[in-house]
């Protein structure tokens, strides 16, 4: 099977750390110690059930005002306020809970953020003490105290040294040390650490490189800023570097200070918690970052993503649209904004929004590519192919690197193949393979698309074997190889590979159907029907009838999987 017939509209990235100790810290409703207005409670729960957190938060706010001593109301108000972005209500609920000794471990994060934003450093310091006492997020305290010291004109070094001793805090120590040094004008002290960020070229560190580059722009050191971005590891870095070269450094400059450093710490933690699916805790930290550093483009991006995780697409879009088109993160934000429309299957709304953006920058290949992706999601593969061809023409004009052009040609081949434009689709897939000859994804798609049509079987299988050698952990590629062996009559080998594929993706309908066909071919008929039934549970409507007939009649020549 093909790994990704549609290039995905991304909503997530995949780097993080396991915060096992933190996952138990999510706030839950506590037992009520008093009466609670049943009608209001039902009204609020109904609002929650239809994903209207702002409405629910408003109802809980009214109830909390009437019953400030009610722990259930306070706890529910806190959760809904965080989900709705009503930090004033969240803080009120936290203080009500705190007075009654019912504060949860993450709550002082918001108390700190609010205090710092109001320049009440004394109250912020008190919040770090409470944060440490409650345990789960105590590793943040030394970093926060270090920034309080910097904001007050004192040395942060003792607190930074303390943070390094904590296992979880040490994960963030290097970037916090760099930001602290830049904030205090000690750029030379961390020059080697910044060089290491550039040399390592990790995707995870792209936001750090962007922050550092913008700081040096503020210091009028354009050469150093460009050197930090020179490897163009990510799209935002490429966009920022392109903007600098176009002569816009003053607009892009941003000096590091305590606001930036604290905001980034909360943003990083929010990102990492999100990768661990601790969405509420991620949202708390993203809201804290927004309170401290409200004009951060990266912060809007993170908060928007997490709103989306919490099925609050309206708030997600609101955050994404706050990011100006000149920002390094603009294209990423547009990608995620359009993904919310796709998530709701509002393809016409997504296309209208995207057309408005394209009108502002008609020469942007990325926007045309995104339009093609959205059209593919909507099922209009012919129109998708037209949009992707436009993207390729614009990308070639801008001299995009071969690896990026290859991904565009792969997407074009996929759209053409799904639109029935064959062998034109084959030509596009071969061009992708020419531009990037050792890509497992391209080789697998190229081989499987021909295998489905029983064309050039020997060459197709060879492509799939090459893909498997490079990425044997992929269930999709393993399925392709297993199905290839089925096609050439090596059924025992087919079963072996297809069972491995199903172990990796047990609910995938294509893998289960392929495995069922292979089981039948080797005489394992009971297992074949079981696999087909599993496939039928998740199959596309177009495949259900074929699977139903297999289950009733067994494998007939005309019922073999495509």
């Amino acid at each position: 099977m093909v790994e990704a017939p549609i290039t995905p509209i991304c909503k997530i990235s995949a780097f993080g750390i396991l915060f096992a100790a933190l996952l138990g810290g999510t706030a839950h409703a506590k037992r009520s110690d008093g009466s609670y207005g049943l009608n209001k409670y039902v009204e609020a729960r109904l609002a929650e059930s239809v994903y209207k957190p702002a409405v629910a938060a408003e109802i809980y706010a009214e109830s909390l005002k009437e019953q400030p001593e009610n722990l259930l109301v306070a706890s529910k108000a806190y959760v809904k306020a965080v989900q709705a972005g009503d930090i004033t209500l969240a803080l009120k609920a936290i203080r009500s809970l705190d007075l009654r000794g019912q504060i949860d471990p993450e709550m002082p994060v918001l108390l700190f953020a609010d205090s710092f934003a109001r320049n009440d450093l004394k109250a912020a310091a008190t919040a770090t003490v409470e944060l440490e006492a409650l345990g789960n997020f105590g590793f943040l305290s030394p970093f926060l105290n270090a920034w309080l010291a910097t904001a007050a004109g004192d040395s942060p070094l003792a607190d930074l040294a303390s943070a390094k001793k904590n296992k979880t805090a040490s994960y963030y120590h290097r970037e916090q040390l760099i930001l602290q040094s830049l904030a205090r004008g000690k750029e030379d002290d961390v020059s080697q650490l910044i060089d290491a960020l550039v040399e390592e070229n990790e995707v995870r560190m792209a936001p750090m490189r962007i922050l550092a580059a913008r700081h040096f722009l503020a210091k009028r050191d354009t050469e150093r800023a460009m050197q930090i971005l020179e490897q163009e590891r990510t799209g935002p870095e490429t966009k920022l570097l392109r903007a600098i070269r176009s002569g816009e450094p003053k607009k892009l400059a941003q000096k590091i200070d305590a606001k930036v450093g604290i905001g980034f710490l909360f943003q990083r933690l929010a990102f990492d918690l999100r990768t661990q699916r601790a969405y509420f805790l991620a949202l708390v930290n993203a809201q804290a970052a927004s309170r401290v550093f409200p004009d951060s483009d990266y912060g809007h991006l993170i908060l928007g993503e997490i709103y989306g995780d919490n099925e609050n697409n309206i708030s997600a879009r609101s955050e994404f649209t706050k990011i100006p088109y000149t920002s390094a993160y603009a294209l990423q934000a547009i990608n995620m904004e359009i993904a919310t429309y796709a998530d709701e299957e509002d393809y016409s709304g997504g296309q209208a929004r995207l057309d408005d953006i394209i009108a502002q920058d008609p020469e942007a290949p990325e926007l045309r590519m995104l339009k093609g992706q959205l059209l593919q999601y909507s099922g209009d593969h012919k129109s998708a192919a037209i949009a992707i061809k436009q993207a390729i023409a614009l990308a070639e004009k801008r001299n995009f690197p071969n690896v990026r052009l290859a991904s565009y040609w792969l997407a074009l081949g996929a759209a053409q193949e799904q639109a029935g434009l064959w062998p034109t689709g084959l030509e596009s897939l071969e061009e992708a393979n020419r531009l990037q000859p050792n890509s497992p994804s391209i080789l697998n798609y190229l081989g499987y698309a021909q295998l489905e049509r029983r064309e050039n079987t020997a060459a197709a299988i060879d492509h799939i074997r090459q893909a498997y050698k490079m990425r044997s952990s992929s269930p999709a590629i393993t399925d392709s190889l297993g199905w290839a062996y089925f096609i050439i009559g090596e059924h025992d080998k087919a079963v072996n590979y297809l069972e491995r594929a199903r172990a990796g993706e047990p609910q995938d309908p294509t893998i289960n159907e392929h495995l069922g066909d292979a089981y039948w071919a080797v005489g394992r008929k009971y297992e074949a029907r079981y696999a087909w039934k599993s496939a039928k549970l998740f199959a596309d409507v177009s495949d259900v009838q074929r699977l139903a007939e297999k289950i009733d009649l067994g494998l007939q020549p005309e019922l073999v999987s495509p």
Side-chain angles (χ1 to χ4, degrees), residues 266 269-271 273-274 278-287 306:
F266 289 141
L269 184 54
F271 176 90
L273 287 166
R274 179 177 181 262
Y279 295 132
F280 182 78
L281 294 177
L283 188 54
V284 169
N285 281 275
Q287 298 286 18
I306 301 170

Side-chain angles (χ1 to χ4, degrees), residues 41-341:
Y41 183 78
V42 171
E43 190 180 346
R45 293 294 289 166
L46 283 172
E48 291 178 54
S49 71
V50 293
Y51 304 108
K52 292 185 177 179
V55 175
E58 186 176 341
I59 296 168
Y60 284 123
E62 183 181 340
S63 298
L64 183 61
K65 185 177 181 180
E66 295 171 358
Q67 304 175 73
E69 76 291 343
N70 190 311
L71 295 180
L72 176 61
V73 174
S75 185
K76 291 294 289 183
Y78 162 68
V79 172
K80 289 300 130 187
V82 169
Q83 291 175 344
D86 187 345
I87 303 307
T88 300
L89 174 59
L91 292 165
K92 184 178 179 181
I94 291 171
R95 291 182 178 115
S96 180
L97 292 164
D98 199 8
L99 285 172
R100 291 157 184 82
Q102 297 294 320
I103 192 168
D104 284 336
E106 82 284 355
M107 292 178 179
V109 168
L110 285 174
L111 294 175
F112 175 93
D114 179 65
S115 299
F116 186 86
R118 292 185 289 103
N119 201 32
D120 188 346
L121 302 189
K122 184 176 179 180
T126 300
T128 68
V129 172
E130 191 164 19
L131 197 63
E132 190 163 11
L134 289 170
N136 286 11
F137 289 88
F139 72 92
L140 292 173
S141 292
F143 290 130
L144 298 177
N145 286 326
W147 283 113
L148 291 177
T150 296
D154 298 326
S155 173
L157 297 181
D159 289 306
L160 287 172
S162 174
K164 195 173 184 179
K165 297 174 185 177
N166 180 283
K167 186 176 181 180
T168 304
S170 64
Y171 188 68
Y172 301 96
H173 186 269
R174 179 172 66 163
E175 56 195 48
Q176 284 291 300
L177 177 60
I178 291 172
L179 293 175
Q180 279 280 359
S181 297
L182 296 181
R184 292 182 297 120
K186 305 285 186 180
E187 287 82 7
D188 290 344
D189 291 355
V190 289
S191 180
Q192 290 184 339
L193 291 178
I194 294 172
D195 288 342
L197 291 183
V198 176
E199 185 177 345
E200 291 163 10
N201 207 22
E202 293 178 5
V203 170
R204 175 180 168 77
M205 288 298 167
M208 267 298 298
R209 290 191 291 269
I210 288 171
L211 277 181
R214 295 184 69 187
H215 175 81
F216 280 102
L217 288 178
K219 302 284 286 187
R220 299 184 180 181
D221 191 345
T222 303
E223 184 177 344
R224 179 60 162 150
M226 294 175 67
Q227 180 269 327
I228 291 170
L229 302 168
E230 64 184 359
Q231 296 201 47
E232 300 184 50
R233 181 68 174 87
T234 63
E237 289 173 278
T238 297
K239 191 173 188 304
L240 180 56
L241 184 59
R242 188 186 305 155
I244 295 171
R245 287 171 175 163
S246 298
E248 303 176 14
K250 288 183 180 179
K251 296 179 182 178
L252 305 168
Q254 181 183 69
K255 191 177 185 304
I256 303 297
D257 58 15
K259 174 185 72 173
V260 174
I262 295 169
F264 189 70
L265 176 62
F266 289 141
Q267 290 161 3
R268 293 299 254 180
L269 184 54
F271 176 90
D272 290 332
L273 287 166
R274 179 177 181 262
T275 64
Q276 298 303 312
R277 300 181 184 275
Y279 295 132
F280 182 78
L281 294 177
L283 188 54
V284 169
N285 281 275
Q287 298 286 18
S290 181
R291 194 71 160 185
V292 172
F293 188 11
D295 52 349
S296 167
D297 294 344
Y298 183 62
H300 291 310
L301 189 74
I302 295 295
L303 183 53
E305 285 185 286
I306 301 170
Y307 273 138
D309 295 331
N310 286 273
E311 301 188 60
N312 186 355
N313 284 339
I314 293 174
S315 293
R317 286 195 282 268
S318 175
E319 291 300 319
F320 296 141
T321 55
K322 291 175 184 175
I323 300 174
Y325 195 69
T326 54
S327 168
Y329 298 103
L331 294 173
Q332 209 170 336
I334 292 166
N335 183 300
M336 293 173 183
E337 181 189 350
I338 298 305
T340 66
Y341 288 101

Side-chain angles (χ1 to χ4, degrees), residues 246-502:
S246 298
E248 303 176 14
K250 288 183 180 179
K251 296 179 182 178
L252 305 168
Q254 181 183 69
K255 191 177 185 304
I256 303 297
D257 58 15
K259 174 185 72 173
V260 174
I262 295 169
F264 189 70
L265 176 62
F266 289 141
Q267 290 161 3
R268 293 299 254 180
L269 184 54
F271 176 90
D272 290 332
L273 287 166
R274 179 177 181 262
T275 64
Q276 298 303 312
R277 300 181 184 275
Y279 295 132
F280 182 78
L281 294 177
L283 188 54
V284 169
N285 281 275
Q287 298 286 18
S290 181
R291 194 71 160 185
V292 172
F293 188 11
D295 52 349
S296 167
D297 294 344
Y298 183 62
H300 291 310
L301 189 74
I302 295 295
L303 183 53
E305 285 185 286
I306 301 170
Y307 273 138
D309 295 331
N310 286 273
E311 301 188 60
N312 186 355
N313 284 339
I314 293 174
S315 293
R317 286 195 282 268
S318 175
E319 291 300 319
F320 296 141
T321 55
K322 291 175 184 175
I323 300 174
Y325 195 69
T326 54
S327 168
Y329 298 103
L331 294 173
Q332 209 170 336
I334 292 166
N335 183 300
M336 293 173 183
E337 181 189 350
I338 298 305
T340 66
Y341 288 101
D343 184 55
E344 296 170 350
E345 298 186 4
D346 181 8
Y347 301 114
S348 59
Q351 286 295 342
R353 168 65 177 147
L354 194 49
D355 286 342
D356 286 343
I357 298 170
I358 290 173
Q360 299 173 41
D361 189 4
E363 298 297 307
E366 299 91 345
L367 297 180
R368 301 284 180 169
M369 185 67 194
L370 184 56
K371 182 173 183 176
Q373 291 174 320
L374 186 61
L375 286 164
Q376 277 191 278
Y377 272 97
S378 72
D380 188 352
H381 302 296
K382 286 186 178 179
S383 297
I386 293 170
I388 296 170
K389 284 181 76 173
Q390 292 171 342
I392 290 172
L394 292 170
E396 288 175 339
K397 190 186 296 185
R398 286 193 177 180
N399 296 315
F400 272 28
N402 281 354
V403 64
R404 193 135 174 234
L405 285 172
S407 71
Y408 280 28
W409 279 101
L410 173 60
L412 177 59
Q416 292 168 329
E417 186 255 340
Q418 291 168 15
L421 301 174
W422 196 263
T424 307
L426 176 60
E427 294 168 4
S428 297
L429 294 172
E430 287 175 336
E431 177 63 9
N433 189 46
R434 185 190 70 78
L435 290 166
Q436 192 180 1
N438 293 312
S439 164
S441 296
I442 294 172
L443 287 166
N444 180 59
Y445 205 121
L446 178 59
Y448 190 82
Q450 294 177 85
L451 201 63
E452 278 189 310
R453 292 163 175 79
R454 308 303 192 263
E455 295 177 4
N456 307 318
T457 304
I461 293 172
D462 185 55
H463 289 318
I464 294 169
R465 284 196 184 107
Q466 290 179 56
Y468 182 78
K469 284 180 183 178
M470 289 182 280
R471 194 182 292 165
S472 60
S473 61
S474 166
I477 294 175
T478 306
D479 170 76
S480 295
L481 185 57
W483 191 238
Y485 282 121
F486 179 90
I487 295 298
I488 62 176
E490 296 188 35
H491 297 140
D492 288 327
K493 276 188 177 181
V495 167
N496 179 33
Y497 284 102
L498 291 169
E499 285 181 335
R500 290 187 209 173
R502 186 175 66 175

